[in-house]
Amino acid sequence: MEPLSERDDALRLLAAEAERAREGSGRLFLLRGATGTGRTALLRAAAQQAAARNMWVLRARCTPENSGTEWGVVHQLFGAEADFVDDPPADPGTPRAAHHRTQSALLWRLLETYAAEAPLFVAVDDVHAADPLSRRWLAEAARLVDGLPVLLVVTERSQYDIDPPGAGIAHGLSPALARTHTLAPLSDGAATDLVRAAFPEATPERVADCVRAGAGNPLLLHALLEDLSSGGTTDGSAPLPDTCAALYPGAYPDAVSWWLAGAGAATAQVARSLAVLESGEADAGAARAPSADGTAPARNRYPGCRPAERRDIQARIIARTAQADPDRVAGWLTAMTRLGLLRQDADGPHRYAHPLLRDAVLSGWTSGRRRAAHRTAAEELMRGGAEVAVVAGHLSHASAVAESWAVDVLVEAAAGEVRAGRPRGAVAFLRRALDEPMAPVRRATVLIQLGSLECAEYPSGGIARLAEAVRLPGGSRDLVRAMVALATALVRSGETRAALRVLREEEPRLADRPDLVRTLRAVALLMSDEELGALRKEYRRRSGPDGGTTDLLGAAHRILNVRYEATAGLISARDAMAQIRTLLEGPADPIAEPFLFGTAAAVAHWADELDEAERLVRRALDALGPFLLHPMHHVLLDLRVDLAAARADFDTVLADPRARSSGAGPSGPGPTSAHTQAVIALVETGRLEEAARLVDGFDLRTAPDSWRTHRFLYARGLLRAAAGDPAAALDDFMECGRRQAAREAFRSVVAPWRVAAAECELALGRPREALVLAEEELRLAEVWHTPRVRGRALRVLGEATGGRRGLELTGRAVGLLRGEPAGTELVSALISHGRLLHALRERSRARESLREAVERAERLGAVRLRTVAEELLREGGARRAGAPRTGPAALTGSERRVAGLAAEGRTNAEIAALLHLARRTVETHLTAAYRKLGITRRTELPRVLPPTPPGASARAG
């Protein structure tokens, strides 16, 4: 006989009672326990034990099916010898009760006869299901056996159910006549041993998963292990499934169904109502970190309530769903938690020990019952002030509510999912919202929101939703929102002509709203292939004799015109910003706000008003909201990357998730501005191979002729120049300039191609061509008149001019760029100035300029420029020709400082903060130091570096 888990104490008690009975002192031993705790197995083991001690064993098993058969248990115990109980009374007039007393007395004499032959072990399993006559006789026998060698051992189900159970068999018996032992759930240790015995190679996580799903119930745990073994699930590291459909042959859900059947219909209703309540909360779409026991902690379903109040709310919702007594429901939740089938959250409510157990409980309900329960739960949760996402989680599985609050909840929950970065959850909520009846205007809004989200993953489906929204009747503003979203989706799918056609064809529906027509035309201009060229034509037409004055133009048109004049070299940065600020002071239609703020941010960026540009970008994104698909959305995201690049914040540029992907961008086919800035950042940080892989991901021959493609040509040219191919780089720069000039964008504020082309001409030995480009760049820069563009133009003109005049020009460039948010421009100017000083044999001043360039490049993480400056320093004799190439003496000052701090145990992040460097620069210095020191690990630094003077680290910081 195999030992039972944690049942040795009970077996020893039964053995002691059997010995007591053998000596002539019998009594009733009541073995109680919840369903599945092993009462039957323990009774069987005790009976085998008694038989081994020469006791005569009589057995009976009670079931609900034979509970209506009179004397059913007695027939199982005594067989044919008890057939007399079925005989009718000798006198037909004898009362039935008197006849039963006579039969009971005869049965007692039969029991005495058996006991006279040998000690008896009478085993009756599940006595709570016995027929009333047998049950009454067993209770009477328990009062009489104390003088006989008879041990009555009966098992009885003792579990808190919704319907209160009847009195147990020991009710009314003296404690001296009956001994009771209650079986407790398995401990985690015992359950772990059982799992380990079935799966010796299982990981600790898999074992813990099985223990939770077993819920301390031997029946459930053995059934689960049977399914996992029979179903061929031998992988000890695979996670336990969350649904019973993944189990074979299905012993586990069968065991749960048997447990529920034994508990009664009312308890089963409550158990399934709890499962519905929990499943709706689990499907709310929240990403939650696992708790210590490996399960996802429940969200705060009832904000503002104490734990006790949350438990009461949960019990009330379950009671209403199951139509049960709330007090009994609260008691059941507590009892099941004590048994291990449920667990209590830190914030109060109860949940099933494992999702698999919850799914098994739910499997007994039809889909219609589940939908109805989810609807009831949603309504009760709304009344209880539960979190919106939890209510929406139930609504997503419920039948239609046909009330306005349902749509409100689903839309609000979708907005929360978008803010949390979970668009799929938002899509699910909005799709469910469309099942509710609503007015056409509201339906159009939901369609716009859903279509905007679907376009990210299901472009064709999203476009169909947006097209439906355009066709629905509604207000003018709703129509414009739908048209803007649809046109944007078409552009991103490469169907720009179709987008413009939609805007043009739907415009007559807005004849009574000229302000919205102007906004719609601004959208069309932004999407047009001709872009700023088209805007200029439109501006001239509307300013002419037939078009009236510029007052007839909307603010969005006027601000786009400021942008055009900025890139065409017709206006200064100061005047552009003055016009921008004036336009922003006036009232603006909410639909036009993204255009106003976004375009103003772009101009502020070019004017080096970076802080103001960031504020405008935030305002524009706030105006867009979380849903609306809009042509300015990716323009604004690009602007955020451009602003980081303007500050030479390479880490932020490369952290953008769009920056390192190749292929079609989210704003349409071809590279985005994020790709352009990523290539430039990789070049500046010395990672040319990564930059080349990113560039190779795009075929610019098939990319659209757009601003983004022009800028990417410029970035590719920078990569080719850094890789030592100035001729190929020059081709890219000139093509970039040609394409921009075709759009009347003469001033290279977006991509300074003339500066880069002039440097290539100098590298190719053509100073005259370089001078022409540099002079034109300076002419346009003087019009815009910001320190960055003027300093950049003066620097390249100085290099092309050379001599004392060139030195004067580069000196002016350095002076202009100091103190400005010039990024790497000041470093480049210091290098140019140092190079000319060296050529004029002013080596001391040259070294001073180049050393400053090295230091500033280090702070920015600009590895390429730092390398150039260090090479010029070496050429100028900053280090003697015989300087060592390896060992501590070969380290530069920066490498020595970084390596010294690393040897003290500092992390790269701490070193970067101490020395005010980019983390990438720290990594570059450490790599160079490892190579020169001949080591491969950080832990080797203390051994190979000489001791650092006291306080050196502090001075370095």
Side-chain angles (χ1 to χ4, degrees):
M1 180 179 63
E2 295 183 2
L4 300 173
S5 298
E6 293 189 323
R7 299 297 182 249
D8 293 342
D9 290 345
L11 273 176
R12 282 194 292 270
L13 283 174
L14 282 164
E17 291 295 323
E19 284 301 316
R20 185 176 182 273
R22 283 165 56 87
E23 295 172 359
S25 298
R27 64 175 165 182
L28 172 68
F29 190 96
L30 179 59
L31 193 62
R32 307 182 70 196
T35 301
T37 50
R39 300 187 313 268
T40 300
L42 183 57
L43 182 61
R44 186 185 305 115
Q48 292 174 355
Q49 207 175 52
R53 290 186 171 91
N54 298 320
M55 295 185 75
W56 197 347
V57 178
L58 304 180
R59 298 179 184 175
R61 177 75 182 273
C62 309
T63 62
E65 290 76 20
N66 61 23
S67 62
T69 303
E70 290 189 348
W71 301 111
V73 174
V74 168
H75 281 299
Q76 291 186 57
L77 290 173
F78 297 106
E81 295 185 38
D83 286 348
F84 62 84
V85 296
D86 297 326
D87 295 339
D91 181 2
T94 303
R96 185 176 180 83
H99 180 61
H100 287 160
R101 284 196 296 272
T102 301
Q103 291 171 313
S104 296
L106 293 173
L107 284 171
W108 173 249
R109 291 174 187 168
L110 179 61
L111 182 66
E112 286 182 313
T113 302
Y114 273 62
E117 297 180 10
L120 291 182
F121 185 96
V122 181
V124 181
D125 196 15
D126 289 343
V127 72
H128 53 275
D131 62 278
L133 291 177
S134 297
R135 183 182 176 87
R136 188 181 304 119
W137 178 79
L138 287 169
E140 291 172 356
R143 292 185 176 92
L144 302 172
V145 296
D146 58 334
L148 293 177
V150 177
L151 179 62
L152 291 176
V153 183
V154 299
T155 68
E156 188 176 59
R157 181 178 180 275
S158 63
Q159 185 170 303
Y160 193 103
D161 293 324
I162 299 302
D163 290 332
I169 192 170
H171 179 72
L173 290 178
S174 166
L177 299 176
R179 181 166 186 177
T180 302
H181 180 79
T182 302
L183 298 179
L186 289 180
S187 67
D188 286 351
T192 297
D193 291 341
L194 289 173
V195 178
R196 283 282 181 209
F199 298 100
E201 303 300 323
T203 62
E205 293 77 13
R206 175 67 178 271
V207 172
D209 222 13
C210 291
V211 170
R212 285 195 302 277
N217 189 292
L219 172 71
L220 299 185
L221 183 57
H222 283 294
L224 175 64
L225 297 177
E226 178 185 343
D227 279 343
L228 296 178
S229 300
S230 303
T233 309
T234 57
D235 184 1
S237 61
L240 203 63
D242 287 346
T243 61
C244 294
L247 296 178
Y248 180 82
Y252 183 81
D254 288 345
V256 173
S257 296
W258 186 78
W259 169 68
L260 288 174
T267 300
Q269 287 282 94
V270 168
R272 288 172 177 139
S273 297
L274 171 62
V276 163
L277 189 64
E278 185 185 334
S279 65
E281 179 263 332
D283 293 339
R288 299 186 292 278
S291 61
D293 64 0
T295 59
R299 60 163 71 239
N300 182 3
R301 309 180 191 123
Y302 319 106
C305 297
R306 295 189 300 273
E309 293 173 325
R310 296 181 188 121
R311 287 195 297 272
D312 291 343
I313 293 172
Q314 183 189 42
R316 187 170 66 247
I317 293 173
I318 295 172
R320 186 189 170 198
T321 305
Q323 297 182 339
D325 181 357
D327 292 334
R328 296 293 298 178
V329 169
W332 182 85
L333 292 171
T334 301
M336 294 304 103
T337 302
R338 292 287 300 273
L339 287 177
L341 293 163
L342 304 181
R343 298 196 175 197
Q344 191 170 1
D345 294 336
D347 66 340
H350 302 263
R351 59 187 170 92
Y352 281 97
H354 192 276
L356 189 64
L357 176 57
R358 180 187 70 217
D359 186 70
V361 169
L362 267 179
S363 61
W365 252 1
T366 63
S367 59
R369 293 292 301 276
R370 293 190 196 189
R371 287 195 295 271
H374 277 297
R375 173 174 175 171
T376 301
E379 292 170 346
E380 286 298 310
L381 286 165
M382 272 291 292
R383 293 190 185 98
E387 197 176 60
V388 167
V390 177
V391 180
H394 286 285
L395 287 175
S396 62
H397 298 289
S399 53
V401 176
E403 294 184 20
S404 59
W405 66 264
V407 179
D408 295 340
V409 165
L410 289 164
V411 171
E412 186 178 345
E417 292 295 290
V418 171
R419 287 191 295 270
R422 296 186 293 267
R424 290 188 179 181
V427 166
F429 286 143
L430 291 173
R431 286 177 178 171
R432 169 62 183 83
L434 290 177
D435 295 336
E436 297 288 336
M438 62 187 92
V441 173
R442 186 70 190 278
R443 186 173 184 83
T445 301
V446 175
L447 284 168
I448 294 170
Q449 295 170 344
L450 178 56
S452 299
L453 291 171
E454 284 184 334
C455 278
E457 293 191 40
Y458 323 101
S460 58
I463 290 174
R465 306 265 194 199
L466 296 170
E468 181 184 351
V470 170
R471 292 192 298 269
L472 285 173
S476 300
R477 292 181 182 278
D478 300 306
L479 175 61
V480 169
R481 288 190 178 95
M483 292 166 62
V484 168
L486 176 59
T488 305
L490 289 169
V491 168
R492 293 187 185 181
S493 298
E495 301 180 40
T496 303
R497 292 185 179 180
L500 296 174
R501 184 169 60 253
V502 165
L503 296 175
R504 186 169 56 252
E505 291 174 353
E506 298 294 338
E507 189 177 302
R509 295 173 62 181
L510 300 170
D512 59 336
R513 292 297 303 273
D515 55 330
L516 295 180
V517 170
R518 290 193 292 265
T519 298
L520 207 61
R521 288 178 178 174
V523 175
L525 290 172
L526 197 66
M527 293 177 173
S528 172
D529 283 343
E530 296 182 13
E531 291 189 353
L532 296 177
L535 171 63
R536 187 59 176 168
K537 293 176 183 177
E538 179 76 4
Y539 178 72
R540 288 170 178 165
R541 184 177 69 81
R542 289 180 174 270
S543 299
D546 300 328
T549 67
T550 56
D551 292 338
L552 297 179
L553 291 176
H557 276 77
R558 290 200 293 263
I559 208 163
L560 283 172
N561 187 65
V562 174
R563 172 180 163 176
Y564 161 78
E565 291 180 338
T567 55
L570 303 176
I571 191 174
S572 70
R574 181 177 180 179
D575 290 342
M577 289 304 299
Q579 293 186 46
I580 290 289
R581 290 174 179 130
T582 300
L583 288 170
L584 293 180
E585 287 175 357
D589 189 281
I591 299 177
E593 282 184 344
F595 294 102
L596 295 174
F597 298 145
T599 308
V603 176
H605 163 227
W606 299 336
D608 283 335
E609 300 284 350
L610 303 186
D611 292 339
E612 185 166 356
E614 286 181 343
R615 286 194 295 271
L616 289 168
V617 167
R618 285 195 296 270
R619 290 182 67 184
L621 288 172
D622 290 342
L624 284 178
F627 290 115
L628 183 60
L629 195 63
H630 196 282
M632 287 303 296
H633 184 252
H634 286 287
V635 172
L636 293 165
L637 296 182
D638 285 344
L639 264 172
R640 289 202 302 200
V641 178
D642 290 342
L643 290 168
R647 292 188 166 98
D649 186 355
F650 303 127
D651 290 341
T652 298
V653 171
L654 296 175
D656 190 293
R658 304 170 302 148
R660 308 301 289 275
S661 61
S662 59
S667 56
T672 66
S673 293
H675 292 118
T676 294
Q677 296 295 6
V679 171
I680 296 173
L682 290 170
V683 169
E684 293 297 342
T685 55
R687 290 176 274 181
L688 301 188
E689 292 183 2
E690 291 182 60
R693 285 195 296 270
L694 184 53
V695 165
D696 292 342
F698 296 96
D699 185 357
L700 298 188
R701 294 171 299 179
T702 59
D705 185 16
S706 65
W707 278 106
R708 295 181 177 89
T709 303
H710 304 171
R711 297 183 69 189
F712 198 76
L713 275 168
Y714 169 76
R716 189 176 72 176
L718 291 181
L719 171 62
R720 288 176 168 177
D725 190 356
L730 181 61
D731 290 340
D732 281 340
F733 295 139
M734 297 304 290
E735 178 62 14
C736 173
R738 185 192 65 76
R739 294 190 184 194
Q740 291 194 16
R743 285 157 175 76
E744 300 184 45
F746 303 113
R747 191 178 63 76
S748 54
V749 66
V750 177
W753 63 270
R754 287 188 190 85
V755 171
E759 291 175 328
C760 289
E761 295 283 15
L762 289 173
L764 293 169
R766 298 196 288 258
R768 289 187 178 180
E769 290 82 350
L771 193 62
V772 172
L773 290 166
E775 287 175 342
E776 177 63 10
E777 181 70 13
L778 181 60
R779 184 188 69 80
L780 293 167
E782 291 295 347
V783 175
W784 189 241
H785 210 70
T786 61
R788 188 194 296 264
V789 297
R790 291 175 64 211
R792 185 166 55 206
L794 287 168
R795 171 183 66 80
V796 75
L797 181 60
E799 287 202 38
T801 303
R804 289 290 174 184
R805 174 59 180 162
L807 184 64
E808 178 189 346
L809 293 171
T810 56
R812 287 174 57 195
V814 169
L816 279 172
L817 294 169
R818 285 194 187 281
E820 296 295 329
T824 58
E825 297 294 349
L826 177 56
V827 179
S828 297
L830 288 166
I831 291 173
S832 297
H833 194 56
R835 183 185 286 116
L836 288 175
L837 285 168
H838 178 66
L840 294 171
R841 300 185 180 278
E842 297 188 30
R843 295 181 178 177
S844 177
R845 291 179 59 200
R847 286 195 292 270
E848 182 180 341
S849 181
L850 293 171
R851 282 173 179 149
E852 183 183 353
V854 169
E855 182 179 344
R856 289 183 177 274
E858 283 181 353
R859 292 182 184 277
L860 296 173
V863 176
R864 181 185 69 85
L865 291 174
R866 179 181 62 81
T867 302
V868 171
E870 287 180 342
E871 288 177 355
L872 289 172
L873 278 171
R874 283 193 290 272
E875 290 174 9
R879 298 183 66 183
R880 65 183 192 278
R885 296 178 178 272
T886 60
L891 299 179
T892 65
S894 299
E895 292 166 353
R896 180 65 179 81
R897 287 193 295 273
V898 170
L901 290 168
E904 294 176 5
R906 308 268 190 175
T907 65
N908 287 3
E910 290 172 341
I911 297 171
L914 280 169
L915 301 180
H916 306 291
L917 300 175
R919 186 179 296 189
R920 182 68 187 179
T921 304
V922 173
E923 295 169 359
T924 303
H925 285 325
L926 282 176
T927 301
Y930 292 168
R931 185 182 66 253
K932 293 177 182 180
L933 296 171
I935 61 175
T936 58
R937 294 183 179 87
R938 195 186 199 95
T939 54
E940 298 177 77
L941 282 170
R943 175 176 58 82
V944 297
L945 277 178
T948 303
S953 297
R955 290 196 300 273

